[in-house]
Amino acid sequence: MASFAISSSFINQEDVGFRCFTPKCCKRISKRIVSVMAPQQSQRTPSTTGSVKTGMTMTEKILARASEKSQLRPGENVWVDVDILMTHDVCGPSSFDVFKKEFGQNAKVWDREKIVIIPDHYIFTKDERANRNVDILRDYCTEQDIKYFYDIKDLGNFKANPDYKGVCHVALAQEGHCRPGEVLLGTDSHTCTAGAFGQFATGIGITDAGFVLGTGKLLLKVPPTLRFVMDGEMPDYLLAKDLILQIIGEISVSGATYKSMEFVGSTVESLSMEERMTLCNMVIEAGGKNGVIPADATTYKYLEDKTSLPYEPLYSDEQARFLSEYRFDISKLEPLVAKPHSPDNRALARECKDVKIDRVYIGSCTGGKTEDFIAAAKVFLASGKKVKVPTFLVPATQKVWIDVYSLPVPGSGGKTCSQIFEEAGCDTPASPNCGACLGGPKDTYARMNEAQVCVSTTNRNFHGRMGHKDGQIYLASPYTAAASALTGYVADPREFLQ
Amino acid sequence: MAAATFSSLHHKISVSNSINKAFHPQSSPNLIKLPSKTPRPSSFNSISPKPTLSPLSTRPRAAADDVAAPATAFHGVCYVVGDNIDTDQIIPAEYLTLVPSNPEEYKKLGSFALIGLPAAEYPTRFMTGGEFTSKYSILIAGDNFGCGSSREHAPVALGAAGVKAVVAESYARIFFRNSVSTGEVYPLESEKRLCEECKTGDVITIELGDSLLINHTSGKEYKLKPVGDVGPVIEAGGIFAYARKAGMIPSRAV
């Protein structure tokens, strides 16, 4: 076996393995990664590696490391060490209740620094139970001395709450809690979003969370991996939302049940972190257990100013076995929607241009990030006209809200998103939270309280999802949503972007 | 571009399987400490699939941790739903302010079970207004039952409403997992598409030991799939009971 200069004392001398970087990237990464670093000496062909018994996928490797096993196969059940547990106002109170009931009233959480509590679902409402749930969280966080509790007290003015962030999955990324190679569990199905950082991230329930709170471990079944290879230059009218709608439409809402979805290819590599988050966010809509995108320079750059904790990325082996592989030539794709009432009810946006709509919603962990708003603003800018239907804008987090009001939109001569939105006649960007993506209490801003047709950048369009049982929701990218707002019908963004 | 260099290289290089974590795993006082080098007790790791269903230890939520008499059969009237019944239909989001660990609110959740089912497709409602429990104690479903959100309120609402078992063609992962972890409903899988064989109102018996579903109304019998890897967890009564049995966490202090 070849031997390499091992620069880190954390790595066992017996371990053979290295990640190959060009020297330039070595310099940038060595600040953050505790890993074996060596200049590339010679290409290692698979036959010389010797020690690899069976190639593993990225997901298998992450779970293997987290369960202290050298080898794992799909289907195995293992106890996994958890790096981060996230919960929010809907599930947090019960998770802590379960924890106390099962571990004792005086029990302490397994690690006060590995638990991130993010109120985000039902915040700006007069619903007493919803408000009470945030209070319950605060009590527990105080009692357990939880390090990361993004609290909110003044519901009338989100800006008056310095700790408050907003939508949990976006906050996790922005606050540096997502790191390559780690295991992140959250009491929310869209926890899979964090897979964009090359980590194992999945949603769990209250009881499981209560268990993790006490032990820092969970019993997980190793999923097999579906590989999605996306190549080709991303057309300037497509966004990651179109890519994932394409995939879900291809494999159906149960196509990835109990499976991991790995996204690779030149197109994926060209995506920003926020776009990668959008891709992984809707893995759950295909039934997927988790999604992963290999960490690379884009990932490291994003994390540079956000986390100081060391991390160690893992990558699928050359010999890893995938259940299936799907290949896409992205340059041939067109803007898509998911028609009511299923995320896999895929259709071309241009084929739905006769569908009259009543409103547009731009927000949520899926489509309420900074880049999503910049994308929407680009369409409004290109058009120069006003929207024809009420257009609701809900930035995911405080940071996104600030970006919407401060970042200049390319090609606008220095205008901010907020200015462009105002000129287009959109609603004023609202307080950051999950908002109407899932309906919520009846007084939730932009909740669908009548049977209407909505184009939305959110993630689900099942019956009643945004509030009204007979509402019709078309899931779309921010480009498509903005284009639809301008025409008053479901619209292909190429009407404005080309 | 650096990113392109990464990906083209890392596919060619295989990374060692045995890279240890760079930092020490936290050991919580809530865990029974196991030396990291010794193999774990076999009851821990080897979760062998069971060919037949074992009796279920039902663990009513918010009750003491005493094992109730294990169920060997379920008997009742069934309610039939189709494919892709998502969690928004099982328990719409507006009811998620109810906290399942609060006994009063647990009960209330039950009253909203399956209220999200569209009226046009389901004219016979699962619950009639004002009730806290349904007359239907067995749910029969198609594919991908429980898809959507991770909300544990979904199996909880069904359990609170009196559903003892769900027999679906297939499940969404998180719903299935939550059912097992909580012990709220017994998640069974059918071999055939029972949502087309059974009708709402049929009288059903499920014999767990024989993996059999008997429809007394139609006179037909159907084989159910073995429970598989989660058998021991369901049998123990949920994730906590299982972990206690496996010696991983201490028994509850009395």
Side-chain angles (χ1 to χ4, degrees):
Chain A
M1 287 186 284
S3 63
F4 306 91
I6 295 178
S7 60
S8 164
S9 59
F10 285 108
I11 303 299
N12 192 310
Q13 290 285 341
E14 289 170 89
D15 291 340
V16 177
F18 74 109
R19 240 156 308 309
C20 210
F21 305 116
T22 61
K24 188 170 165 217
C25 297
C26 268
K27 281 208 184 84
R28 203 149 31 120
I29 297 150
S30 60
K31 271 192 285 180
R32 295 281 171 256
I33 299 179
V34 178
S35 167
V36 178
M37 307 288 291
Q40 184 184 9
Q41 291 174 343
S42 59
Q43 199 94 332
R44 282 203 305 176
T45 56
S47 60
T48 63
T49 59
S51 64
V52 176
K53 286 174 253 177
T54 314
M56 290 196 287
T57 65
M58 187 190 307
T59 294
E60 288 156 24
K61 278 190 173 162
I62 295 172
L63 294 179
R65 185 168 73 184
S67 59
E68 293 171 47
K69 292 201 184 311
S70 60
Q71 186 78 34
L72 273 187
R73 276 191 322 278
E76 287 188 54
N77 290 283
V78 286
W79 289 99
V80 166
D81 286 325
V82 178
D83 293 290
I84 296 281
L85 173 72
M86 182 279 296
T87 188
H88 47 51
D89 53 303
V90 170
C91 297
S94 251
S95 299
F96 277 105
D97 282 348
V98 168
F99 159 72
K100 294 204 97 173
K101 181 180 141 218
E102 297 291 345
F103 292 106
Q105 289 304 311
N106 296 323
K108 290 286 171 233
V109 295
W110 107 92
D111 189 324
R112 61 171 287 275
E113 297 194 8
K114 293 189 176 176
I115 299 162
V116 187
I117 313 288
I118 315 182
D120 65 349
H121 273 57
Y122 304 146
I123 306 299
F124 304 103
T125 170
K126 292 196 162 47
D127 185 299
E128 282 176 6
R129 269 202 307 261
N131 299 155
R132 167 207 70 175
N133 290 345
V134 180
D135 294 337
I136 293 175
L137 278 183
R138 187 176 310 111
D139 291 341
Y140 275 127
C141 287
T142 309
E143 178 202 286
Q144 297 287 333
D145 193 25
I146 299 292
K147 185 172 180 184
Y148 301 107
F149 172 46
Y150 299 133
D151 195 5
I152 179 163
K153 289 183 176 138
D154 185 346
L155 304 180
N157 175 15
F158 72 88
K159 287 177 247 174
N161 302 277
D163 294 333
Y164 179 71
K165 306 295 171 203
V167 175
C168 58
H169 308 299
V170 183
L172 279 172
Q174 291 179 328
E175 302 310 311
H177 297 299
C178 301
R179 285 173 290 270
E182 290 196 359
V183 172
L184 188 155
L185 302 180
T187 58
D188 193 87
S189 58
H190 293 108
T191 306
C192 49
T193 305
F197 290 85
Q199 64 178 142
F200 179 89
T202 194
I204 59 173
I206 285 164
T207 301
D208 280 347
F211 189 90
V212 177
L213 279 171
T215 64
K217 291 179 187 290
L218 195 64
L219 186 64
L220 289 174
K221 190 168 183 166
V222 180
T225 301
L226 299 174
R227 193 173 235 201
F228 298 89
V229 186
M230 288 178 269
D231 287 311
E233 198 178 318
M234 190 83 156
D236 57 13
Y237 44 83
L238 282 192
L239 290 169
K241 181 68 172 278
D242 296 293
L243 304 185
I244 191 64
L245 286 180
Q246 174 73 26
I247 291 171
I248 297 170
E250 201 69 40
I251 68 175
S252 91
V253 287
S254 54
T257 302
Y258 277 102
K259 300 175 185 115
S260 178
M261 295 173 74
E262 187 173 307
F263 303 105
V264 296
S266 59
T267 317
V268 176
E269 289 158 27
S270 74
L271 296 178
S272 65
M273 283 317 297
E274 289 200 350
E275 283 281 84
R276 295 179 189 192
M277 285 165 66
T278 304
L279 203 56
C280 289
N281 173 278
M282 287 183 73
V283 155
I284 183 63
E285 267 55 80
K289 184 156 182 156
N290 71 303
V292 278
I293 294 178
D296 59 12
T298 306
T299 323
Y300 308 136
K301 180 109 186 86
Y302 183 93
L303 290 173
E304 242 169 33
D305 60 346
K306 294 182 180 69
T307 185
S308 55
L309 292 182
Y311 55 83
E312 202 178 309
L314 289 168
Y315 300 94
S316 290
D317 290 330
E318 171 89 359
Q319 311 300 332
R321 281 180 290 212
F322 296 92
L323 210 55
S324 313
E325 189 174 278
Y326 298 81
R327 295 192 157 261
F328 298 87
D329 178 355
I330 300 304
S331 64
K332 300 209 163 61
L333 295 188
E334 298 184 66
L336 297 171
V337 293
K339 298 188 293 185
H341 300 273
S342 177
D344 65 5
N345 195 2
R346 180 183 68 184
L348 294 171
R350 62 175 166 82
E351 285 177 350
C352 300
K353 62 179 169 44
D354 294 329
V355 176
K356 194 164 195 302
I357 66 174
D358 301 302
R359 46 165 55 203
V360 166
Y361 185 93
I362 301 177
S364 83
C365 51
T366 316
K369 304 182 286 301
T370 300
E371 290 176 23
D372 298 314
F373 286 103
I374 292 180
K378 277 192 191 156
V379 174
F380 292 130
L381 187 70
S383 153
K385 302 269 195 326
K386 286 196 185 296
V387 295
K388 294 208 161 80
V389 294
T391 302
F392 304 104
L393 310 169
V394 187
T397 62
Q398 287 227 43
K399 285 200 170 127
V400 174
W401 189 95
I402 291 168
D403 287 346
V404 164
Y405 274 89
S406 60
L407 290 183
V409 175
S412 70
K415 286 187 188 169
T416 62
C417 289
S418 55
Q419 287 172 307
I420 294 170
F421 292 146
E422 194 181 330
E423 283 167 14
C426 302
D427 255 40
T428 308
S431 304
N433 75 125
C434 295
C437 170
L438 70 163
K442 294 251 170 21
D443 64 345
T444 302
Y445 172 77
R447 186 183 196 273
M448 199 193 292
N449 293 321
E450 290 162 357
Q452 290 183 319
V453 182
C454 178
V455 174
S456 175
T457 64
T458 54
N459 44 60
R460 292 194 187 120
N461 56 354
F462 297 118
H463 286 283
R465 174 68 181 177
M466 292 185 89
H468 198 280
K469 263 193 199 182
D470 301 316
Q472 297 195 59
I473 302 160
Y474 287 75
L475 302 176
S477 79
Y479 281 160
T480 305
S484 305
L486 289 166
T487 63
Y489 291 78
V490 174
D492 187 307
R494 285 174 288 188
E495 286 188 42
F496 302 97
L497 289 176
Q498 281 185 326
Chain B
M1 243 180 74
T5 315
F6 274 13
S7 67
S8 56
L9 285 171
H10 74 66
H11 284 304
K12 296 188 170 97
I13 308 300
S14 35
V15 181
S16 163
N17 294 333
S18 55
I19 293 177
N20 293 320
K21 265 179 105 83
F23 27 89
H24 303 294
Q26 292 285 328
S27 57
S28 154
N30 302 317
L31 270 170
I32 290 177
K33 224 172 175 175
L34 293 166
S36 53
K37 294 285 185 203
T38 59
R40 302 250 170 92
S42 57
S43 60
F44 212 67
N45 267 344
S46 58
I47 298 162
S48 47
K50 301 222 159 196
T52 55
L53 291 168
S54 309
L56 167 69
S57 305
T58 52
R59 185 169 70 103
R61 189 170 266 276
D65 192 8
D66 295 321
V67 174
T72 53
F74 300 116
H75 180 83
V77 180
C78 76
Y79 189 86
V80 181
V81 294
D83 297 321
N84 300 319
I85 300 298
D86 70 279
T87 46
D88 282 300
Q89 293 182 65
I90 299 174
I91 185 79
E94 65 190 277
Y95 303 113
L96 298 186
T97 51
L98 295 164
V99 163
S101 44
N102 176 318
E104 261 308 303
E105 297 182 14
Y106 170 84
K107 205 175 152 205
K108 270 211 176 99
L109 273 173
S111 69
F112 298 122
L114 290 171
I115 202 174
L117 288 175
E121 288 161 54
Y122 298 94
T124 308
R125 306 306 289 168
F126 179 73
M127 307 265 283
T128 42
E131 283 178 339
F132 283 99
T133 54
S134 168
K135 64 174 187 258
Y136 306 101
S137 60
I138 293 172
L139 207 57
I140 293 181
D143 269 323
N144 205 20
F145 184 78
C147 62
S149 161
S150 65
R151 62 190 71 157
E152 196 164 282
H153 306 67
V156 164
L158 293 175
V163 174
K164 297 277 178 285
V166 182
V167 182
E169 214 179 328
S170 67
Y171 290 92
R173 186 211 139 233
I174 310 179
F175 177 89
F176 183 85
R177 208 195 148 84
N178 287 343
S179 300
V180 169
S181 291
T182 57
E184 280 290 332
V185 292
Y186 202 118
L188 294 157
E189 269 182 277
S190 56
E191 300 265 357
K192 277 178 124 175
R193 220 171 133 66
L194 294 191
C195 59
E196 284 172 7
E197 301 272 330
C198 303
K199 288 190 176 50
T200 295
D202 286 354
V203 179
I204 305 284
T205 297
I206 298 170
E207 294 285 353
L208 290 176
D210 298 326
S211 303
L212 213 56
L213 184 145
I214 304 159
N215 184 329
H216 298 286
T217 309
S218 69
K220 289 190 179 161
E221 283 184 6
Y222 304 93
K223 206 80 179 104
L224 297 171
K225 281 191 187 165
V227 154
D229 292 351
V230 291
V233 182
I234 298 181
E235 219 186 310
I239 186 79
F240 282 97
Y242 177 77
R244 287 197 179 94
K245 232 173 145 181
M248 194 199 189
I249 60 177
S251 306
R252 284 247 306 271
V254 174

